[in-house]
């Protein structure tokens, strides 16, 4: 059976690198995104260039109906075998006491509610087993003091979601794992107000540099392969030693 994988937030950053890598590895890929249509079309063209079927679907993962529509569309590619829960946001870096309530709700909505809604759709549809990878963060164990403690806490919830779902879905042949990136060179840091963070943070990363999106995609892709057939409920850190 040819793998069919849904990726959320596949238009840019880690999700886009994962879409491209999975297509090269033989997956048909349906990915969701929110608003960057041009970036989404570029990723879709690369999936097709790899000889795979692909779909780019505008779908906000915080909206249950849009999530259902994403998975309904993906069904056109074949039976679902994989989900990469990746669409995530941070909020402006700053002291915890200054955290805006709207930013807090957005971080919980996208990084937790969205992951749960998508995992639920995947679990319902993976009738012949499959694999789910949740993109967490090294922040879950570091806590991100002075930056975004709320984001770190929500990523820790992602890790718990991973452990619980792995146990609940194991009898159905569905493996559930997480990847926890450190500081990766993507647009997410601009949203946090520090676009140069991958460079300024390099000195405190044991490997001495920020990571690239494709280095995270490689770990995600491995967790989706049969080589990871006995791996479930784990959080794989991809953080240069952070
Ligand atoms: P990014 O470059 O900002 O890309 C985010 C992607 O998610 C975009 O495709 C965006 O689509 C999409 N997206 C955002 N909100 C969405 C929503 N509500 N519904 C659907 N799609 C949505 O981010 P990234 O750095 O690749 O991050 C990907 C994941 O890795 C996130 O879960 C993040 O928390 C995690 N992570 C990143 C780092 C890092 O240093 N980069 C470190 C640790 C963990 P549009 O462009 O259409 O808005």
């Amino acid at each position: 059976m040819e793998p069919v994988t849904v990726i959320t937030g596949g238009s840019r950053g880690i999700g886009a690198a994962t879409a491209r890598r999975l297509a090269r590895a033989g997956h048909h890929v349906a990915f969701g995104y929110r608003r960057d249509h041009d970036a989404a079309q570029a990723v879709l063209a690369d999936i097709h260039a790899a000889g795979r079927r692909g779909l780019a679907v505008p779908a906000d993962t915080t909206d249950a109906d849009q999530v259902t529509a994403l998975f309904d569309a993906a069904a056109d590619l074949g039976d679902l075998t994989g989900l990469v829960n990746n669409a995530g946001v941070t909020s402006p870096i700053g002291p915890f006491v200054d955290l805006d309530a709207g930013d807090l709700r957005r971080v919980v909505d996208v990084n937790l509610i969205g992951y749960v809604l998508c995992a639920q759709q995947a679990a319902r549809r993976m009738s012949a087993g499959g694999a789910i990878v949740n993109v967490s963060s090294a922040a879950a164990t570091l806590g991100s003091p002075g930056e975004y403690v709320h984001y770190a806490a929500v990523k820790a919830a992602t890790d718990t979601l991973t452990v619980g779902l792995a146990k609940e879905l194991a009898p159905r042949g569905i493996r559930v794992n997480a990847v926890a990136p450190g500081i990766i060179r993507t647009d997410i840091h601009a949203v946090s107000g520090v676009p140069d963070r991958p460079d300024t943070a390099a000195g405190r990363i044991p490997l001495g540099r920020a990571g690239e999106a494709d280095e995270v995609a490689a770990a995600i892709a491995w967790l989706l392969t049969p080589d990871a057939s006995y791996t479930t409920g784990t959080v794989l850190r991809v953080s240069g030693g952070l």
Side-chain angles (χ1 to χ4, degrees):
M1 192 167 67
E2 294 184 330
V4 174
T5 300
V6 167
I7 304 171
T8 63
S11 58
R12 294 185 293 109
I14 293 167
T18 303
R20 291 180 164 111
R21 180 175 273 266
L22 290 182
R24 290 196 303 272
H27 293 238
H28 304 299
V29 177
F31 69 87
Y33 67 103
R34 201 175 34 153
R35 60 185 172 203
D36 194 337
H37 303 293
D38 291 345
Q41 288 308 310
V43 174
L44 185 60
D46 287 344
I47 293 169
H48 290 149
R52 297 291 123 194
R53 295 195 291 275
L55 285 172
V57 184
D60 188 322
T61 53
T62 65
D63 182 313
D65 290 339
Q66 293 184 40
V67 167
T68 303
L70 169 62
F71 282 82
D72 283 349
D76 287 345
L77 302 183
D79 292 337
L80 186 70
T81 61
L83 164 65
V84 181
N85 250 333
N86 165 78
V89 292
T90 56
S91 55
I93 277 185
F96 182 68
V97 291
D98 293 341
L99 172 62
D100 173 81
D103 285 341
L104 168 60
R105 288 192 190 282
R106 186 75 192 154
V107 164
V108 175
D109 259 5
V110 180
N111 298 317
L112 183 57
I113 311 280
Y115 277 37
V116 171
L117 292 174
C118 292
Q120 196 177 34
Q121 285 290 329
R124 286 178 183 150
R125 293 165 191 253
M126 287 176 172
S127 49
I132 296 172
V133 178
N134 295 320
V135 181
S136 175
S137 172
T141 56
L142 298 172
S144 302
E147 295 186 335
Y148 29 55
V149 169
H150 59 299
Y151 168 83
V154 171
K155 288 300 189 181
T158 302
D159 293 352
T160 305
L161 178 71
T162 301
V163 170
L165 277 185
K167 291 175 179 170
E168 181 163 335
L169 299 179
R172 293 181 42 207
I174 301 173
R175 297 181 298 103
V176 186
N177 293 289
V179 165
I183 297 172
I184 309 300
R185 199 177 296 282
T186 72
D187 298 341
I188 205 168
H189 307 290
V191 179
S192 310
V194 280
D196 59 348
R197 189 161 184 252
D199 296 316
T200 56
R204 60 185 170 92
I205 301 169
L207 282 184
R209 63 170 177 86
E212 301 298 331
D214 197 48
E215 294 179 289
V216 182
I220 294 170
W222 176 73
L223 286 168
L224 293 174
T225 66
D227 282 350
S229 55
Y230 201 57
T231 303
T232 197
T234 197
V235 180
L236 176 55
R237 210 172 180 83
V238 186
S239 65
L242 258 187

